[in-house]
């Protein structure tokens, strides 16, 4: 896949300086303070795709809401497209897709897009033309006349991305854009992002789907417990030497040959062993020496996932069996 | 202004297509039926009673639709966070609030005028009577009252943290607003200084809904509304609504959406 080079002297689409957010909850006598974000510094460059990764509750959505002006910072500042988010001109050039967008159920998809288009100043035939363009882009033309109440989760997500794109944004901010999408929708959404990036739209994707980050983003920020641990080009992650776990498939009849393996982490009697990438070569050599029939070797995690887990200090995660990927 | 009108049209469509209008239709049928029954039971001046009760019915159905609309849209906009999508667009929060108020008010106009038409139709075509000019003036007064209450309700929606809160605040404001005459009476009584200060605060903060109550004097032969009275009521309705709108706007600007 074509990747744009990370040019750090590009103008900033989002410039965050010393951003902190504290939530105060509870009653007068039992106040509880939660530090959602702690002194975040971040530059998101124009014409690039930036991925913000983090576990649930890391502060990703809080960061997006602060960028959009839906929350006010406790400290620090945010500049968006060289201005303040409260300026109409700045918001005119931004598209936003919230996590699991919710729409008034009484409208059709076409009406919703028309409404959001009119908020961007579109009217008449220009609005209708743009709505049709968007409906085609998100593949919702056939369902455009149906009320939103009859839409599936994936269709809502498509209309959600449609309303975000209706004003031809220079900066597109998406909070978990792949939520609720089936594999086809997932691929289509990813293709939309790649096309937008090629067209020069800056993307800010808030996600914990690491595959999406790897395929779309140029730079990645890792947010953990309100702290931006690091910001790194994706190319650097892919070239990094962070070990990835592998699953070695061995013929089930030869499972006995797996016992007493020096580097094994998990062994299945039906044939297989999980090892770290650091000892993959040694393990394979040992299995060959024992004349075990190796049927295949497959990575259990991606490079991005391994890097992410290492960055947030989740060593335990590196060693745990990864259920979804287990053969 | 185009953006305000877009929000108005959006809100209007949202309310019209929701089940609110079924509730309104049922309330029209029930109120008109009750009205008809009571006017038959009253001896003489049947049409007079019918119109009198009809005006009360218009006010009640308008209020009912307002309260239900506030409850329904609070769930969508605030609880389900649909408001995020509006506020992230190139739309000021003041424009959003104004658009919502106008959308609600348009629906209220439809509800009140719709019921008004039914009543006029029944009086003229079935009863063979005539409708006095004051009846139409009463309808305008009810619409002005609805405008004030709509602004208050939507402002509460921007301030309150729950749907129940919005409905209760609006309901009690209506209830207390109807009691302004009693507050005025209390102010003329021998009471302690602090009680009077408190009553005065209540008097000025609450909407004076008594001022919009023309229907009780529908057949007052001495009542003729002149330009001065119209000026007073229009000025009061719009200035009160404007102040409430400003409070709602400031609150919405300050509000954080977690």
């Amino acid at each position: 896949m074509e990747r744009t080079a990370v040019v750090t002297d590009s103008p900033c689409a989002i410039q965050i300086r010393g951003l902190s957010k504290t939530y105060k909850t509870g009653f007068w006598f039992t106040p509880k303070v939660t530090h959602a974000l702690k002194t975040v510094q971040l530059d998101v460059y124009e014409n690039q795709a930036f991925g913000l990764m983090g576990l649930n509750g890391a502060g990703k959505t809080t960061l997006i809401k602060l960028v959009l002006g839906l929350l006010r910072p406790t400290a620090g500042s945010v500049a968006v497209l060289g201005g303040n988010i409260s300026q109409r001109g700045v918001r005119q050039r931004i598209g936003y897709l919230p996590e699991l967008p919710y729409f008034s159920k009484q409208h059709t998809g076409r009406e919703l897009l028309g409404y959001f288009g009119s908020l961007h100043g579109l009217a008449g035939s220009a609005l209708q033309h743009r709505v049709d363009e968007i409906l085609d882009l998100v593949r919702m033309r056939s369902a455009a006349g149906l009320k939103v109440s009859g839409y599936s989760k994936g269709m809502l997500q498509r209309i959600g991305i449609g309303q975000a794109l209706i004003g031809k944004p220079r900066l597109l901010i998406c909070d978990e854009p792949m939520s609720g999408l089936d594999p086809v929708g997932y691929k289509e959404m990813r293709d939309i992002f790649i096309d937008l990036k090629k067209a020069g739209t800056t993307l800010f994707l808030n996600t914990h789907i690491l595959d999406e980050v790897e395929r779309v983003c140029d730079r990645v920020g890792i947010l953990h417990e309100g702290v931006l641990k690091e910001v790194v080009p994706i190319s650097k992650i892919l070239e990094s030497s962070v070990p990835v776990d592998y699953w070695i498939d061995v013929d089930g009849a030869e499972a006995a040959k797996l016992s007493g393996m020096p580097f094994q982490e998990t062994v299945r009697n039906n044939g297989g062993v999980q090892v770290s990438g650091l000892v993959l070569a040694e393990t394979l050599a040992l299995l060959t020496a024992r004349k075990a029939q190796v049927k295949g070797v497959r990575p259990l995690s991606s490079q991005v996932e391994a890097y992410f887990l290492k960055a947030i200090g989740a060593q335990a995660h590196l060693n745990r069996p990864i259920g979804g990927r287990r053969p | 202004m185009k953006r305000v009108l877009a929000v108005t049209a959006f809100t209007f469509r949202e309310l019209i297509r929701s089940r609110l209008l079924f509730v309104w239709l049922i309330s029209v049928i029930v109120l008109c039926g009750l009205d008809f029954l009571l006017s038959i039971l009253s001896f003489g001046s049947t049409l007079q009673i019918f119109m009198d009760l009809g005006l009360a019915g218009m006010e009640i159905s308008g209020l009912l639709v307002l309260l239900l609309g506030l409850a329904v849209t609070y769930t969508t906009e605030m609880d389900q966070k649909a408001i995020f999508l509006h506020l992230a667009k190139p739309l000021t929060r003041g424009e959003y609030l104004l658009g919502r108020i106008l959308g609600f008010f348009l629906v209220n106009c439809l509800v009140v005028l719709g019921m008004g038409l039914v009543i006029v139709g029944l009086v003229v075509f079935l009863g063979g009577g005539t409708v006095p000019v004051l009846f139409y003036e009463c309808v305008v007064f009810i619409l002005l009252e609805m405008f004030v209450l709509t602004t208050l309700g939507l402002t509460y929606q921007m301030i309150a943290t729950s749907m129940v809160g919005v409905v209760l605040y609006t309901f009690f404001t209506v209830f207390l607003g109807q009691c302004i005459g009693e507050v005025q009476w209390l102010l003329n009584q021998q009471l302690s200084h602090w009680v009077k200060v408190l009553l005065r605060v209540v008097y000025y903060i609450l909407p004076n809904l008594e001022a919009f109550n023309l229907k009780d004097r529908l057949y007052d032969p001495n009542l003729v509304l002149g330009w001065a009275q119209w000026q007073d009521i229009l000025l009061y309705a719009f200035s009160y609504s404007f102040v409430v709108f400003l409070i709602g706007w400031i609150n919405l600007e300050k509000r954080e959406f977690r």
Side-chain angles (χ1 to χ4, degrees):
Chain A
M1 187 196 320
E2 190 186 331
R3 257 178 219 291
T4 44
V6 178
V7 187
T8 50
D9 58 353
S10 303
C12 275
I14 302 173
Q15 193 172 49
I16 296 172
R17 294 289 175 267
L19 192 67
S20 297
K21 181 65 189 172
T22 304
Y23 293 119
K24 285 177 188 162
T25 50
F27 293 105
W28 286 350
F29 299 110
T30 55
K32 195 184 162 198
V33 175
T34 310
H35 298 285
L37 282 181
K38 297 167 191 167
T39 333
V40 171
Q41 304 271 123
L42 175 65
D43 287 331
V44 176
Y45 303 111
E46 286 202 26
N47 309 322
Q48 287 189 1
F50 180 85
L52 186 64
M53 300 194 298
L55 301 174
N56 290 333
K60 303 189 300 290
T61 300
T62 297
L63 183 65
I64 280 192
K65 285 182 180 172
L66 285 163
V67 169
L68 290 165
L70 294 171
L71 289 173
R72 283 192 308 281
T74 308
S77 63
V78 181
V80 183
L81 297 171
N84 190 305
I85 191 66
S86 61
Q87 296 168 296
R88 195 196 295 274
V90 171
R91 269 184 288 159
Q92 180 75 32
R93 292 174 289 158
I94 293 178
Y96 166 55
L97 172 67
E99 186 180 4
L100 303 173
Y102 192 89
F103 302 103
S104 157
K105 288 177 180 170
Q106 312 304 331
H107 295 84
T108 65
R110 180 179 285 280
E111 284 169 347
L112 277 174
L113 291 178
Y115 164 67
F116 287 114
S118 61
L119 294 185
H120 275 279
L122 295 169
S125 58
L127 176 63
Q128 288 314 313
H129 180 68
R130 184 65 185 150
V131 168
D132 286 338
E133 256 179 23
I134 293 291
L135 285 170
D136 287 338
L137 182 74
V138 298
R139 294 178 197 274
M140 284 292 289
R141 179 77 88 134
S142 57
L146 300 177
K147 275 193 184 174
V148 168
S149 53
Y151 281 7
S152 67
K153 220 170 166 187
M155 288 160 98
L156 285 173
Q157 197 74 356
R158 284 160 194 258
I159 286 294
I161 190 75
Q163 64 76 31
L165 296 174
I166 195 95
K168 294 185 179 170
R170 257 177 68 191
L171 168 64
L172 178 65
I173 300 173
C174 300
D175 195 356
E176 303 292 359
M178 305 302 191
S179 292
L181 293 179
D182 56 29
V184 176
Y186 181 97
K187 188 192 172 301
E188 283 171 1
M189 186 73 89
R190 200 175 59 214
D191 291 345
I192 289 172
F193 288 147
I194 291 168
D195 287 345
L196 285 168
K197 203 174 84 170
K198 279 182 190 162
T201 306
T202 308
L203 301 178
F204 185 104
L205 306 179
N206 187 355
T207 183
H208 49 225
I209 299 179
L210 305 177
D211 181 46
E212 174 190 347
V213 171
E214 189 175 330
R215 286 168 189 250
V216 178
C217 297
D218 300 303
R219 287 167 75 237
V220 163
I222 298 170
L223 191 67
H224 186 56
E225 292 175 351
V227 178
L228 190 62
K229 291 278 185 183
E230 59 182 294
V231 178
V232 60
I234 196 83
S235 53
K236 195 179 157 192
I237 293 179
L238 297 175
E239 288 160 10
S240 70
S241 56
V242 176
V244 171
D245 281 7
Y246 288 87
W247 183 261
I248 304 171
D249 254 336
V250 179
D251 194 328
E254 300 185 329
K257 292 178 181 173
L258 297 172
S259 61
M261 296 284 290
F263 312 116
Q264 71 193 34
E265 283 165 0
T266 307
V267 175
R268 285 254 179 108
N269 286 336
N270 59 356
V273 61
Q274 179 186 334
V275 294
S276 162
L278 290 173
V279 294
L280 178 65
E282 290 94 320
T283 308
L284 285 172
L286 198 63
L287 285 169
T288 310
R290 288 184 184 187
K291 294 181 181 167
Q293 200 179 344
V294 175
K295 292 198 294 187
V297 179
R298 69 187 77 177
L300 285 175
S301 60
S302 70
Q303 194 70 35
V304 177
E305 185 177 315
Y307 193 94
F308 169 69
L309 292 172
K310 182 175 173 264
I312 63 167
Q315 284 302 324
H317 290 267
L318 283 171
N319 296 331
R320 81 191 155 99
I322 301 163
R325 301 272 184 125
R326 180 60 50 87
Chain B
M1 197 60 196
K2 273 182 191 172
R3 290 178 172 89
V4 173
L5 293 178
V7 179
T8 303
F10 181 85
T11 309
F12 181 76
R13 214 160 33 206
E14 185 181 9
L15 292 172
I16 287 291
R17 289 182 187 172
S18 63
R19 287 172 189 159
L20 282 183
L21 287 193
F22 288 114
V23 176
W24 171 70
L25 203 66
I26 291 165
S27 74
V28 167
I29 293 166
V30 170
L31 289 169
C32 281
L34 205 66
D35 194 2
F36 188 67
L37 199 71
L38 286 172
S39 59
I40 288 171
L41 290 175
S42 63
F43 297 104
S45 55
T46 310
L47 291 179
Q48 207 168 315
I49 302 280
F50 187 77
M51 275 189 279
D52 230 3
L53 294 174
L55 284 168
M58 285 157 76
E59 198 178 2
I60 291 168
S61 60
L63 192 63
L64 196 67
V65 166
L66 173 65
L67 289 175
L68 288 172
L70 287 171
V72 168
T73 54
Y74 188 92
T75 312
T76 316
E77 293 295 302
M78 302 297 186
D79 289 344
Q80 310 278 4
K81 298 173 180 176
I83 194 171
F84 288 8
L85 290 171
H86 305 273
L87 299 185
K89 295 287 173 196
L91 174 80
T92 66
R93 294 185 179 191
E95 285 172 336
Y96 172 75
L97 179 58
L98 184 59
R100 297 293 287 180
I101 290 170
L102 294 178
F104 263 79
F105 180 61
L106 271 183
V107 173
N108 244 314
C109 285
L110 200 73
V111 165
V112 171
L113 293 176
M115 191 158 176
L117 271 178
V118 171
I119 289 164
V120 170
L122 288 174
V123 168
V124 175
F125 297 110
L126 289 181
T130 52
V131 179
V133 176
L134 205 58
F135 178 87
Y136 299 106
E137 289 174 324
C138 283
V139 174
V140 178
F141 270 52
I142 290 172
L143 287 178
L144 287 173
E145 183 186 11
M146 285 302 143
F147 185 70
V148 171
L149 292 176
T150 302
T151 314
L152 266 166
L154 266 297
T155 296
Y156 287 146
Q157 201 180 55
M158 300 303 143
I159 297 170
T161 51
S162 74
M163 179 257 277
V164 177
V166 178
V167 174
L168 282 182
Y169 294 157
T170 312
F171 181 78
F172 280 110
T173 304
V174 174
F175 178 73
L176 293 171
Q178 304 281 5
C179 301
I180 282 291
E182 280 71 23
V183 175
Q184 210 167 10
W185 177 80
L186 279 172
L187 277 169
N188 294 325
Q189 305 304 307
Q190 294 289 329
L191 294 168
S192 78
H193 173 69
W194 290 110
V195 172
K196 281 201 170 187
V197 168
L198 189 72
L199 284 172
R200 212 169 283 280
V201 169
V202 168
Y203 181 77
Y204 285 112
I205 286 180
L206 285 174
N208 183 359
L209 300 182
E210 276 285 295
F212 301 103
N213 189 7
L214 202 62
K215 59 184 182 297
D216 287 356
R217 299 170 66 192
L218 185 60
Y219 286 96
D220 183 347
N222 301 320
L223 183 68
V224 178
L225 284 184
W227 173 236
Q229 283 98 326
W230 274 109
Q231 215 172 3
D232 283 351
I233 199 70
L234 286 169
L235 194 68
Y236 178 72
F238 289 117
S239 55
Y240 188 90
S241 301
F242 181 68
V243 172
V244 172
F245 165 72
L246 283 183
I247 293 168
W249 184 1
I250 292 165
N251 262 286
L252 188 56
E253 285 289 344
K254 287 186 173 178
R255 185 161 182 169
E256 292 197 286
F257 294 92
R258 287 180 71 174

